[in-house]
Amino acid sequence: MINRLRFGDERDWFNRRRFGMFIHWGLFSIPAWHEQVLWRGKMRRSDYEVLAREFNPEKFDPDQWLDLAQSAGMEYVTVTTKHHDGFCMFDTKYTDYNVMHTPYKKDIIRMIAESAKRHDLKLGFYYSIPDWHHPNCPNQGRHHEMWGNRQSDEPDYDKYFQYMENQITELCTNYGEVSQLFWDVNILDYNNREFNDRMRKLQPSLVINNRGPDNGDYATPEREEDTDRKFSKSMEFSGHTEACQSLGRESWGHRIDEDYYNPKYLMQCIDRTLAMGGNYLLNVGPKADGTIDGWDIASLKRIGKWYNNIKEAFAPDTYSATSMITDHGGLPLRDKILLTRRQNTVYVHAYEDLASSSIGLRPFTMPPLKATLLNTGEPVEALVDKTPYYHEEDRAYLRLRNLPTAAITDEPLVVKLEFDGTVWE
Ligand code: GLC
């Protein structure tokens, strides 16, 4: 099966822009331990809420952040407008617990929206359903909830849902084009599907995730859950998918002493997810002063150096094509690879370390006109010959050999094969 998922409307930007930056920023960036420090750190609510009096990111320059995103090859940006803590990073008329009531007094979301426009990046908004501040939010001590309401609270589902809808309507009305709505953690069983539709009418390019009132437009596997091969026998996602992951393994918000992933591991995850037809949303947690930590910058730059060399393998109109092998008797694959394809060009993704310096491309029997290692631009040796391994079949298959697997060990290899029109469907 050829995976050419399309919405057939303005949401199709999502198929053309495959790699995005996720940003988790808020009051939690001050204690810098975890974006859920209030809950996971068992803080008192009143001790957390006074952080609003300190929030003053004087060094914040959204252009610097989005320059960084763009230099890493990212083409959209999705930012936390209100996380579980309930603090709003935008100017909202529905609560004072927002950024306009901090020493900073500027609408962070507006600043990011304007910068995204200048950068020609699509803009997405993360919005948490749990709310650990709003008096109407029923907090019943379940996961991602406060252990109970305060005496002064007035828990009321209808009023709280109305509050959420008012705020998301503000977000989808006051900030120009919005292209993604990233709901999170529907522990309250909010189920007004009609609201998603209303937002789509306001914002025709809006793709909505599956963590809100319905399954939305796409699935959101997190931290590599389910993106493994087991997700799909054909090694292609069967529906729209966006995997999300953070640069560090403990937190999405900035964490002092974060345990960072190896950039190579992230590049392998990005390559695998994109080659399976998904998008990848990679998160950075900026610091409370408005800057991005040096480690995050170095990691994004390293990923970008690789991604910019290989990203034509995910260019518009390129689709997952591993089924060219699997549907033609190529399973089990001898080497861990995935394919993408655009017309007669096929890209071979070694998303995990190769066992040898070669890739066997059974059942391909035709040689390409040209084979290039995108990582370096160097030619690759591609030949159709018989190998001892397939002696029983007694047929010659395409093989890429002498790949520099011992020299390039810190990023996944991607090989471009240009055929003259004999590649099968
Ligand atoms: C999880 C975390 C939440 C984070 C989100 C990002 O749901 O609990 O804190 O914002 O992942 O996808």
Side-chain angles (χ1 to χ4, degrees), residues 35-46 48-49 84-86 130-134 137-150 153 187-188:
E35 75 281 0
Q36 299 169 14
V37 59
L38 172 53
W39 183 57
R40 294 193 186 205
K42 300 178 181 55
M43 278 178 85
R44 289 172 64 91
R45 251 176 279 186
S46 50
Y48 185 87
E49 286 162 350
H84 313 332
D85 60 3
D131 191 306
W132 302 336
H133 173 85
H134 197 275
C137 182
N139 273 288
Q140 300 165 46
R142 297 172 295 187
H143 73 88
H144 294 86
E145 280 186 342
M146 289 288 98
W147 31 93
N149 282 98
R150 289 185 261 224
D153 286 349
I187 183 75
L188 296 176

Side-chain angles (χ1 to χ4, degrees), residues 33-131:
W33 185 71
H34 190 275
E35 75 281 0
Q36 299 169 14
V37 59
L38 172 53
W39 183 57
R40 294 193 186 205
K42 300 178 181 55
M43 278 178 85
R44 289 172 64 91
R45 251 176 279 186
S46 50
D47 289 341
Y48 185 87
E49 286 162 350
V50 292
L51 295 173
R53 292 189 208 148
E54 276 177 54
F55 190 73
N56 196 12
E58 279 171 337
K59 296 189 189 153
F60 173 49
D61 174 359
D63 286 340
Q64 277 184 12
W65 295 8
L66 300 193
D67 284 351
L68 179 65
Q70 219 155 30
S71 70
M74 293 162 157
E75 294 180 279
Y76 62 103
V77 55
T78 300
V79 58
T80 49
T81 59
K82 184 198 85 161
H83 205 265
H84 313 332
D85 60 3
F87 181 77
C88 301
M89 296 291 274
F90 59 106
D91 186 3
T92 167
K93 62 179 185 209
Y94 299 103
T95 178
D96 286 347
Y97 195 46
N98 78 55
V99 69
M100 305 310 281
H101 296 261
T102 65
Y104 193 60
K105 291 194 187 69
K106 280 186 248 171
D107 185 340
I108 299 277
I109 296 302
R110 179 165 310 286
M111 293 167 78
I112 293 177
E114 285 169 359
S115 177
K117 195 158 189 210
R118 283 195 290 280
H119 283 79
D120 186 32
L121 294 169
K122 294 283 184 196
L123 175 68
F125 289 150
Y126 167 105
Y127 189 93
S128 164
I129 295 177
D131 191 306

Side-chain angles (χ1 to χ4, degrees), residues 161-175:
F161 292 156
Q162 187 60 54
Y163 169 75
M164 284 196 326
E165 293 182 356
N166 288 341
Q167 286 205 315
I168 294 175
T169 306
E170 278 183 322
L171 288 165
C172 288
T173 310
N174 299 341
Y175 296 90

